[in-house]
Amino acid sequence: MKRRIGIVGGGQLGRMIGLEAKRLGFRVSVIDPTPHSPASQVVDKQIVAKYEDEKAIRELAGDSDFLTFEIELANAKLLRELEGGGVSINPSPETLIMIKDKLKQSEFLKNLGIPVADFVSVNSKKDIENAALEFNYPILLKSRFDGYDGRGNALIKSEKDIDKGIDKLRDRKLYVEKFVPFVKELAVITARDIDGNITCYPVVETIQKNNICTEVYAPALIDERAAKKANSLAIKTMQHLKGAGAFGIEMFLTKTGEVMINEIAPRVHNSGHFTQDACFVSQFEQHVRAITGMPLGETDMLAKRAVMINILGDRNGKANLRGLGKALAVKKTAVHIYGKQETRIDRKMGHINSIGDTHDEALRRARKAASFIRI
Amino acid sequence: MKRRIGIVGGGQLGRMIGLEAKRLGFRVSVIDPTPHSPASQVVDKQIVAKYEDEKAIRELAGDSDFLTFEIELANAKLLRELEGGGVSINPSPETLIMIKDKLKQSEFLKNLGIPVADFVSVNSKKDIENAALEFNYPILLKSRFDGYDGRGNALIKSEKDIDKGIDKLRDRKLYVEKFVPFVKELAVITARDIDGNITCYPVVETIQKNNICTEVYAPALIDERAAKKANSLAIKTMQHLKGAGAFGIEMFLTKTGEVMINEIAPRVHNSGHFTQDACFVSQFEQHVRAITGMPLGETDMLAKRAVMINILGDRNGKANLRGLGKALAVKKTAVHIYGKQETRIDRKMGHINSIGDTHDEALRRARKAASFIRI
């Protein structure tokens, strides 16, 4: 059996993919610039190098039967070249190239007839002003590439914010998006296997603070019609993306009950961490199954409700986990720690999954456990 | 937070303890004589040495806040000495010393008023003959120390088997046990935390072939009265054992509905592997919680029924996993592979957990998945 998996990226996502892959008998190597990365602590090998490093990626490919990535920063063009050389890479590098360019991603979705925020490419202040005329304020000035946790966005509420936005995102290729006054943010973790079969986990609701996901409610507290829309948009998107693997699809729910796609992540996703403790097959196992040519697992929840809370750093310095015992005294609550040596304000250091018979029960448990944990 | 765990033994049990410990943010080291042991592939460090190696155990203790073992072969006397020096060791070395001597173990249980097979210490052929006179044939001639998977037992059906039995177990300290004509073998995974709180997972039924566990049914297909007896015997035993940790307690169910304890394993146990996929907190997490001074988790099953099947080697040679994809096409079925490089006939190479709404459903799934897997 082919059993070597290579992952570009050794953060928490790589770590959790790695844990599932190890359980299934795979040998796992990762590339990550940080020595002793989260993934390296549980897998067989880390190549210490930047995500884009050509030599490192070639070495990883030579040592892998299946290549995947946990981060959009992966060197997509090199991956495409290597794919031509016969290494099995999933999701498809072509899909990664398209998704890495958020403008292209929006065009792809729009061409499928999938609702997305109105958008337009911009190259100058004049273009931005024109976009504002067309869409009305507020608008979002967005970086086409390498946006992450909101760091590639600037909200322009009126003409006087334009210069500030241009300054924040200087030296980047930009586009403008009409601001969507959503009432909720939703996400669907979906996966496609090598034969094109598609599965979706239940639609979840994500809560963000300062553009960072803090809580996830599974399933989302929305009506069935909206959930069905979200599910069918995810499936439609997946039918047109190339390659296999788990994808996180972020969506907006508007006041009028419309569901729009905000962004596609071509990888396992923070909004799917609840699957580790609320489903029989986690998103991480699902990804391993998909990229290695195995059939997908079932995506129903074993628990009625689940809540995930991210454990975020609240200072800068050496990580020092405290309160774990108190957190684990909370019923039906699991704690996942990523093994990062350094904590930073708002850095994702771990997460908590609680299940319950009602949303309130699961939420109460998760928040209680979170209140004890410091890192 | 104290976060370094040392495990004497790096086999599959150490690996699965290690996986849970890593998830909870611990740093894990193991001692195992086999380089690249199953546990070493997922934890931080392996010291390659025999389980009894004094230098290695002292090194491990010096590098650990919490010391535990996955194998009874651990050097119990040295552990007791180290405990005196301040390292936190669980289960208590004193308990390990008692349990390692099966005669002492039977005496311990008998003194508690717990039903066990009649037994007597023997030092000569004459003693064995006398024991047979007292108990009637068949009797079991058993090694007091280091019995494992039935390798320390000889069934004596009549006087003419005695010499053969003595020969099989030569150079060992022996005792004789009355043969119990049981109708089922049961087991309870129980755990005690540092404060003395005790939990039990549901009583399971274990199926053995050639003294090796092949299948586990959870919960056991027995009447409630027998299940309650088994549960209360497990609790009574744990109330009198020293130290914290998960224990596997093997039992017999007799024709008359009596439940007797057969053997105590002072560690996580093969009969508890179903907890990984059928319970919110697995026996491995439970053990980590117990030995690190954290509260125990809940032991109820999230699934109605579960079946575990061991993946045993069917030849001698280099391991080569096949059929994983087909096995994973079976619904609600999880596969756990231990990463052993060499397979041997009847060697435990992995296991399968299936859940279902009925025993038949879970059993059918697990057996179907098992039928595909070769290693």
Side-chain angles (χ1 to χ4, degrees):
Chain A
M1 195 183 111
K2 289 183 175 178
R3 54 182 292 279
R4 299 172 305 163
I5 293 177
I7 308 173
V8 179
Q12 66 265 23
L13 302 179
R15 176 183 174 103
M16 293 185 280
I17 294 168
L19 284 169
E20 296 296 314
K22 295 294 303 180
R23 178 173 61 74
L24 290 170
F26 290 93
R27 186 179 167 283
V28 182
S29 309
V30 302
I31 289 177
D32 200 275
T34 308
H36 204 59
S37 67
S40 76
Q41 299 165 34
V42 298
V43 304
D44 298 278
K45 185 179 165 186
Q46 172 175 2
I47 301 169
V48 178
K50 289 186 182 161
Y51 309 118
E52 319 82 35
D53 187 286
E54 182 168 340
K55 189 165 158 275
I57 292 174
R58 287 188 188 279
E59 182 186 337
L60 186 72
D63 195 30
S64 301
D65 302 307
F66 307 103
L67 213 60
T68 188
F69 43 87
E70 56 126 45
I71 187 156
E72 289 91 331
L73 298 175
N75 187 333
K77 280 171 192 160
L78 176 59
L79 291 179
R80 186 167 58 183
E81 183 197 321
L82 291 168
E83 193 181 33
V87 184
S88 170
I89 307 181
N90 277 297
S92 157
E94 204 179 310
T95 294
L96 178 59
I97 288 169
M98 183 274 283
I99 285 177
K100 275 168 79 108
D101 184 344
K102 289 191 182 175
L103 178 63
K104 284 254 162 45
Q105 194 190 123
S106 291
E107 284 166 356
F108 162 79
L109 292 167
K110 193 179 173 184
N111 289 340
L112 292 178
I114 287 176
V116 290
D118 288 330
F119 61 91
V120 65
S121 177
V122 296
N123 290 305
S124 64
K125 187 172 175 184
K126 185 77 198 149
D127 286 351
I128 298 171
E129 287 166 353
N130 284 339
L133 280 177
E134 192 185 340
F135 300 149
N136 295 325
Y137 291 104
I139 56 173
L140 277 167
L141 184 62
K142 297 180 84 166
S143 171
R144 282 173 62 176
F145 298 96
D146 300 340
Y148 191 62
D149 284 348
R151 271 170 268 175
N153 294 356
L155 180 65
I156 313 282
K157 290 181 185 167
S158 68
E159 205 178 321
K160 67 176 169 43
D161 291 339
I162 293 179
D163 284 336
K164 211 163 48 180
I166 289 175
D167 189 53
K168 178 182 174 187
L169 302 174
R170 66 179 171 276
D171 302 331
R172 293 179 165 221
K173 291 193 175 177
L174 301 175
Y175 70 112
V176 161
E177 215 175 67
K178 183 174 177 170
F179 180 78
V180 176
F182 56 84
V183 291
K184 288 194 175 196
E185 291 189 74
L186 309 177
V188 176
I189 300 295
T190 169
R192 188 167 58 185
D193 70 15
I194 284 191
D195 298 325
N197 299 301
I198 295 166
T199 60
C200 294
Y201 287 96
V203 183
V204 300
E205 187 172 336
T206 64
I207 309 296
Q208 335 270 333
K209 273 185 196 156
N210 305 323
N211 289 303
I212 293 172
C213 173
T214 55
E215 297 183 338
V216 172
Y217 307 151
L221 300 154
I222 54 175
D223 63 41
E224 206 178 319
R225 211 176 48 94
K228 275 192 178 159
K229 268 191 203 172
N231 186 276
S232 69
L233 291 183
I235 290 174
K236 190 167 182 181
T237 303
M238 290 302 284
Q239 284 167 339
H240 293 86
L241 283 180
K242 294 207 171 124
F247 288 69
I249 304 190
E250 299 175 27
M251 306 182 188
F252 293 133
L253 176 67
T254 68
K255 241 185 305 194
T256 55
E258 201 186 353
V259 180
M260 308 168 77
I261 291 188
N262 173 30
E263 204 171 302
I264 306 169
R267 52 168 172 81
V268 289
H269 193 256
N270 198 167
S271 65
H273 292 357
F274 77 97
T275 59
Q276 294 174 305
D277 297 294
C279 301
F280 195 78
V281 174
S282 75
Q283 68 165 342
F284 303 103
E285 176 176 345
Q286 196 76 311
H287 186 67
V288 172
R289 288 173 177 237
I291 64 164
T292 60
M294 298 199 290
L296 299 176
E298 293 149 291
T299 53
D300 56 307
M301 287 173 68
L302 298 182
K304 286 206 182 99
R305 306 280 331 176
V307 167
M308 191 284 312
I309 296 188
N310 276 330
I311 299 169
L312 301 174
D314 60 0
R315 62 188 172 86
N316 298 324
K318 213 170 162 53
N320 176 25
L321 179 63
R322 285 146 293 155
L324 181 61
K326 282 186 180 171
L328 290 178
V330 180
K331 287 185 178 176
K332 295 283 190 282
T333 294
V335 177
H336 300 257
I337 301 293
Y338 304 151
K340 294 179 184 177
Q341 316 287 298
E342 300 287 327
T343 187
R344 283 198 307 270
I345 287 172
D346 282 349
R347 189 177 196 197
K348 291 175 182 170
M349 301 299 289
H351 67 272
I352 290 164
N353 284 329
S354 294
I355 62 169
D357 288 334
T358 64
H359 172 68
D360 283 350
E361 186 177 57
L363 183 65
R364 196 166 13 90
R365 288 172 174 168
R367 285 188 177 167
K368 188 173 174 190
S371 75
F372 293 124
I373 297 228
R374 288 291 170 278
I375 191 162
Chain B
M1 197 183 110
K2 289 182 174 181
R3 54 182 292 277
R4 300 171 305 162
I5 293 177
I7 308 174
V8 179
Q12 66 267 21
L13 301 179
R15 177 183 172 101
M16 293 185 281
I17 294 168
L19 284 169
E20 296 296 316
K22 295 294 300 179
R23 178 173 60 71
L24 290 170
F26 291 93
R27 186 181 168 280
V28 182
S29 309
V30 302
I31 289 177
D32 200 275
T34 309
H36 205 58
S37 68
S40 76
Q41 299 165 34
V42 297
V43 304
D44 299 277
K45 184 179 165 187
Q46 172 176 3
I47 300 169
V48 178
K50 289 188 182 159
Y51 308 118
E52 318 82 36
D53 188 285
E54 183 170 338
K55 188 164 158 279
I57 292 175
R58 286 187 190 280
E59 182 186 338
L60 186 73
D63 197 28
S64 301
D65 302 308
F66 308 102
L67 214 61
T68 189
F69 43 87
E70 57 126 45
I71 188 156
E72 288 90 330
L73 298 175
N75 188 332
K77 279 171 193 160
L78 176 59
L79 291 179
R80 187 168 55 182
E81 182 197 321
L82 291 168
E83 194 182 34
V87 184
S88 170
I89 306 180
N90 277 297
S92 155
E94 203 180 311
T95 294
L96 178 59
I97 288 169
M98 183 273 285
I99 284 175
K100 276 168 80 109
D101 183 344
K102 289 191 183 176
L103 179 62
K104 283 255 160 47
Q105 193 190 127
S106 291
E107 284 166 356
F108 163 79
L109 292 167
K110 192 179 173 186
N111 289 339
L112 292 178
I114 287 175
V116 291
D118 288 329
F119 61 91
V120 63
S121 177
V122 296
N123 291 305
S124 65
K125 186 173 176 183
K126 185 72 198 154
D127 286 350
I128 299 172
E129 287 167 352
N130 285 339
L133 281 177
E134 192 186 338
F135 300 149
N136 295 324
Y137 291 105
I139 56 172
L140 278 166
L141 185 61
K142 297 180 84 166
S143 171
R144 284 173 60 174
F145 298 96
D146 300 340
Y148 191 61
D149 284 349
R151 270 170 267 174
N153 295 355
L155 181 65
I156 314 283
K157 289 183 187 164
S158 68
E159 204 176 321
K160 66 177 170 41
D161 291 341
I162 294 179
D163 284 335
K164 214 165 44 181
I166 289 174
D167 188 53
K168 178 181 172 190
L169 301 174
R170 66 177 171 278
D171 302 330
R172 293 180 165 220
K173 289 191 177 178
L174 302 174
Y175 70 111
V176 162
E177 214 175 67
K178 183 174 178 171
F179 180 78
V180 176
F182 57 83
V183 291
K184 289 195 175 196
E185 291 189 73
L186 310 176
V188 177
I189 300 294
T190 170
R192 190 169 56 183
D193 69 15
I194 285 193
D195 299 325
N197 298 301
I198 295 167
T199 60
C200 294
Y201 287 96
V203 182
V204 300
E205 187 173 335
T206 65
I207 310 296
Q208 335 271 332
K209 274 184 195 156
N210 305 322
N211 288 304
I212 292 173
C213 173
T214 55
E215 296 183 339
V216 171
Y217 306 153
L221 300 155
I222 55 175
D223 63 41
E224 206 178 317
R225 210 175 49 93
K228 276 192 178 159
K229 268 191 203 171
N231 186 277
S232 69
L233 291 183
I235 289 174
K236 191 168 182 180
T237 303
M238 290 301 284
Q239 282 168 338
H240 291 87
L241 283 180
K242 293 206 172 126
F247 288 69
I249 303 189
E250 298 176 26
M251 305 181 190
F252 293 134
L253 176 67
T254 69
K255 240 186 304 193
T256 54
E258 201 185 353
V259 180
M260 307 167 77
I261 290 188
N262 174 30
E263 205 170 301
I264 307 168
R267 52 168 173 80
V268 289
H269 193 255
N270 198 167
S271 64
H273 292 357
F274 76 97
T275 59
Q276 293 174 307
D277 296 295
C279 301
F280 194 80
V281 175
S282 76
Q283 66 165 344
F284 303 103
E285 177 177 343
Q286 197 76 311
H287 186 67
V288 172
R289 287 174 177 236
I291 65 165
T292 59
M294 297 198 290
L296 299 175
E298 292 148 291
T299 54
D300 56 307
M301 288 173 67
L302 297 182
K304 285 206 182 101
R305 306 281 329 177
V307 167
M308 190 284 313
I309 297 188
N310 276 330
I311 300 170
L312 301 174
D314 60 0
R315 63 188 173 84
N316 298 324
K318 214 170 160 52
N320 177 23
L321 179 64
R322 286 145 294 154
L324 181 61
K326 282 187 180 171
L328 290 180
V330 181
K331 286 185 180 176
K332 296 283 191 281
T333 294
V335 177
H336 301 256
I337 301 294
Y338 305 151
K340 294 179 183 176
Q341 316 287 298
E342 300 288 326
T343 186
R344 283 197 307 270
I345 289 172
D346 282 350
R347 189 176 197 200
K348 291 174 182 170
M349 302 298 288
H351 68 271
I352 290 164
N353 284 330
S354 294
I355 62 169
D357 288 334
T358 64
H359 172 67
D360 284 351
E361 186 178 57
L363 183 65
R364 195 164 17 85
R365 288 172 175 169
R367 284 188 178 166
K368 188 172 174 191
S371 75
F372 293 125
I373 297 231
R374 288 290 169 279
I375 190 161

